[in-house]
Amino acid sequence: MAWGLLLPQSFAGGRQPTAAIRKHPVINTADTAWVLVSSALVLLMTPGLAFFYGGLVRKKNVLSVLMQCVMIMCLITVQWTLLGYSLAFGSSHGGLIGGLDFLALRGVGLDPNAEYAGTIPHQAFMAFQMMFAIITPALIVGAFAERIRFGAFCVFSLLWATLVYDPMAHWVWGAGGWLRNLGALDFAGGTVVHINAGMAALAAALVLGRRKGYPDTSPPHNLPFAVLGAGLLWFGWFGFNSGSALAANGVAVNAFLVTHVAAAAAGLSWALIEWLIIRRPTVLGIISGVVAGLVAITPAAGFVGIGGALAIGAGAGGICYLAVSLVKSRLGYDDSLDAFGVHGIGGIWGAIATGLWASTAVNPAGANGLFYGGIKLFGVQLLAVAVSAVYSFGASYLLFRLVGAIVPLRVSEHDERVGLDLTQHREAGYTLID
Amino acid sequence: MKLIVAIIQPDRLPEVLDELEKRQIHLVTASNVLGRGRQHGVSEVYRSHQEVGNLLKKVRLEVAVNEDFVKPTVEAIVSGANTGQIGDGKIFVLELAECVRIRTGETGCVAIG
């Protein structure tokens, strides 16, 4: 986010708090309104994601995916207010993890916290961050869908949020976080949200193994749901990226526009590639492209202009298409709904692309990418990608193994056949007759 | 000619189709149906209300065959659908009076395969 940007003492977004503001915090009503609206928009992305994923699974598992997403909304909200926010944004211990000073939101009041957002109440900042903490573990659902035991899922999600998400949020966005101090640029969460969830998704797919019958599993049971979900994600992403300016200002407007343009370019490039290669542009293809574009522009949204957005979007459509259609089938892992292929790969592309197309002409608080003469930023971006990808994959892998040693991760073969809706929740998504 | 109608568990459909395929039986019609036998299978619960007497989801297969394929068809369905559990389903073998291939107007044993 803008404050995640990491040049010490500087705040992106023309919102540089002066010493006077720091002493006498003044709440800007426009900024506060925008961040509150953005928080609601980001929250809506999780039900949107639920429908995106829910449409892609088989009929017998649709409720299980919706349930996992709603459970995460509830579970992580409580975790975040009690502990998570403090681990991510509390006073830093060696740049690695936040302290317990904000435990149970102690000291998180209505005055601004100039360290993070000097013109909005600290609670608004906390609420905005909470929505990111919610959607990130929800993204991983795409990798273990249709075969995970619900209890194991709950334990894993809670531990993952605490041991993987919260520390990484601290590294990149927390005051004193080591990646932030290094100068890595991540405007709205390409590293913390998408690379992080994407690598965890890969670990999940590897630990859990393939679904029974994969790769000859049935096609998506309700693509219209997936389109609905993609639409909600696109809509919510304006809050995700534009809201990350943490102010109603020019940086927010730039982020809004480049987010939209990158999504469109990516949907277009994915559909065109399909048109060329398999002779038919598909609905699932164009919406996957849109999501890939939104993922890729996320770290760059506050630092690149329209040209960069077009390039990042078009690249995301192509690269994620390759990851999903070629790499996955070659390597044979079963990332059910392509959480790694779209969020992991798209996130990595976006973080690297930020090091290419970022320009101080767009945002003076940012830095110049390789195409604007900034070699250092490019190197830092590569380092941030490598470190976060390795940490996230390693920690998630171990965590899955650990949870798997305590409770079974996978449902029985019988339950997998019958479906998770009936066996995990005793409900069915659809009736056959009225 | 016989019409073989089978009611099976939905999750066994892939196996049954495999078994039929192995015996060169390619012509199958499948539909989703609801029904109940003697089984008290997995029932659904809505907001803690147990739904009693629910009809359960099943798949109905229809295969029309000449006499020499009756036995292999029945075997295929049994071997694909049998789990040894209550609710595995039933197979009905019916006499089939006539069969017409719409495209050509052929009738009887020729039309069936």
Side-chain angles (χ1 to χ4, degrees):
Chain A
M1 322 220 146
W3 25 271
L5 106 88
L6 338 181
L7 304 178
Q9 274 106 39
S10 78
F11 283 69
R15 215 171 20 81
Q16 286 87 343
T18 61
I21 290 176
R22 282 196 185 152
K23 267 182 215 149
H24 306 287
V26 177
I27 287 170
N28 179 310
T29 51
D31 293 351
T32 306
W34 175 231
V35 170
L36 287 178
V37 169
S38 292
S39 304
L41 283 169
V42 179
L43 177 72
L44 187 63
M45 291 170 71
T46 299
L49 181 78
F51 273 96
F52 185 77
Y53 282 167
L56 297 183
V57 296
R58 288 165 286 178
K59 254 183 183 175
K60 59 188 177 185
N61 296 319
V62 57
L63 290 181
S64 73
V65 169
L66 302 189
M67 178 69 172
Q68 285 162 9
C69 290
V70 177
M71 178 50 107
I72 281 189
M73 291 165 70
C74 300
L75 190 65
I76 303 303
T77 296
V78 173
Q79 182 269 1
W80 186 252
T81 51
L82 291 180
L83 176 65
Y85 181 68
S86 198
L87 292 180
F89 292 97
S91 57
S92 192
H93 289 276
L96 293 176
I97 187 88
L100 298 179
D101 30 341
F102 295 144
L103 201 63
L105 301 186
R106 195 178 43 197
V108 181
L110 299 179
D111 283 337
N113 179 329
E115 199 75 70
Y116 294 122
T119 63
I120 62 173
H122 192 179
Q123 282 184 6
F125 174 78
M126 184 282 296
F128 183 64
Q129 287 302 323
M130 175 158 58
M131 306 316 175
F132 287 68
I134 289 170
I135 194 167
T136 309
L139 293 171
I140 310 172
V141 166
F144 49 58
E146 305 199 289
R147 57 199 186 285
I148 198 164
R149 270 185 66 247
F150 190 65
F153 153 82
C154 293
V155 174
F156 171 79
S157 296
L158 186 61
L159 290 176
W160 190 86
T162 309
L163 300 175
V164 183
Y165 181 85
D166 294 342
M168 199 172 296
H170 183 76
W171 299 355
V172 179
W173 295 332
W178 74 272
L179 278 174
R180 171 175 169 158
N181 285 345
L182 208 61
L185 293 183
D186 181 4
F187 189 72
T191 308
V192 180
V193 175
H194 295 291
I195 296 179
N196 203 1
M199 296 312 293
L202 182 61
L206 292 176
V207 173
L208 254 77
R210 304 176 196 177
R211 285 166 295 171
K212 187 183 157 40
Y214 179 84
D216 299 319
T217 42
S218 309
H221 93 281
N222 194 334
L223 277 178
F225 269 180
V227 177
L228 171 73
L232 288 172
L233 283 170
W234 195 336
F235 178 68
W237 228 291
F238 290 120
F240 197 98
N241 286 359
S242 187
S244 288
L246 295 172
N249 61 14
V251 172
V253 173
N254 183 79
F256 191 101
L257 202 57
V258 297
T259 297
H260 187 62
V261 167
L268 204 56
S269 77
W270 191 306
L272 286 175
I273 291 171
E274 282 188 331
W275 215 332
L276 285 173
I277 295 180
I278 60 170
R279 296 281 158 212
R280 293 287 185 278
T282 67
V283 172
L284 180 54
I286 198 166
I287 61 174
S288 302
V290 164
V291 174
L294 291 164
V295 167
I297 197 65
T298 294
F303 310 113
V304 302
I306 296 296
L310 286 168
I312 290 172
I319 291 168
C320 293
Y321 174 82
L322 290 177
V324 167
S325 66
L326 291 182
V327 178
K328 185 170 85 159
S329 51
R330 290 271 164 82
L331 298 182
Y333 60 90
D334 181 14
D335 173 9
S336 317
L337 313 176
D338 295 312
F340 170 69
V342 171
H343 294 276
I345 300 294
I348 289 170
W349 160 244
I352 294 172
T354 305
L356 296 174
W357 279 285
S359 161
T360 51
V362 174
N363 185 346
N368 276 327
L370 200 59
F371 294 160
Y372 299 90
I375 286 186
K376 174 171 178 279
L377 175 66
F378 186 66
V380 169
Q381 293 300 103
L382 288 181
L383 177 72
V385 165
V387 168
S388 51
V390 167
Y391 175 76
S392 177
F393 180 82
S396 306
Y397 191 90
L398 289 176
L399 203 53
F400 260 113
R401 286 267 178 239
L402 178 77
V403 175
I406 303 166
V407 290
L409 289 175
R410 247 185 117 125
V411 297
S412 70
E413 195 191 313
H414 170 266
D415 288 3
E416 191 176 336
R417 285 167 164 285
V418 172
L420 271 51
D421 292 1
L422 217 45
T423 60
Q424 304 294 298
H425 308 294
R426 286 275 189 277
E427 287 175 301
Y430 307 97
T431 55
L432 203 57
I433 50 178
D434 294 329
Chain B
M1 295 181 294
K2 294 277 195 291
L3 178 66
I4 298 171
V5 177
I7 309 292
I8 62 168
Q9 291 282 25
D11 64 282
R12 304 307 300 189
L13 180 60
E15 283 75 8
V16 170
L17 292 177
D18 271 0
E19 294 293 333
L20 287 168
E21 196 75 19
K22 277 186 204 160
R23 293 165 176 82
Q24 315 295 316
I25 301 154
H26 309 297
L27 306 172
V28 182
T29 306
S31 40
N32 281 318
V33 294
L34 291 181
R36 66 181 170 207
R38 288 187 302 168
Q39 109 172 234
H40 306 281
V42 188
S43 54
E44 298 168 20
V45 178
Y46 291 100
R47 297 191 180 142
S48 308
H49 273 285
Q50 181 123 16
E51 301 279 310
V52 184
N54 239 6
L55 298 175
L56 296 163
K57 286 176 189 149
K58 299 286 180 183
V59 163
R60 182 180 60 203
L61 288 177
E62 288 158 295
V63 192
V65 290
N66 288 317
E67 298 300 334
D68 41 345
F69 275 97
V70 172
K71 211 174 153 215
T73 304
V74 170
E75 278 170 12
I77 296 172
V78 169
S79 89
N82 186 322
T83 66
Q85 309 246 305
I86 288 177
D88 276 354
K90 289 221 170 62
I91 299 173
F92 309 112
V93 182
L94 288 72
E95 283 298 338
L96 187 57
E98 183 57 292
C99 170
V100 181
R101 177 175 281 141
I102 293 174
R103 177 170 54 87
T104 59
E106 291 163 293
T107 58
C109 299
V110 190
I112 214 161

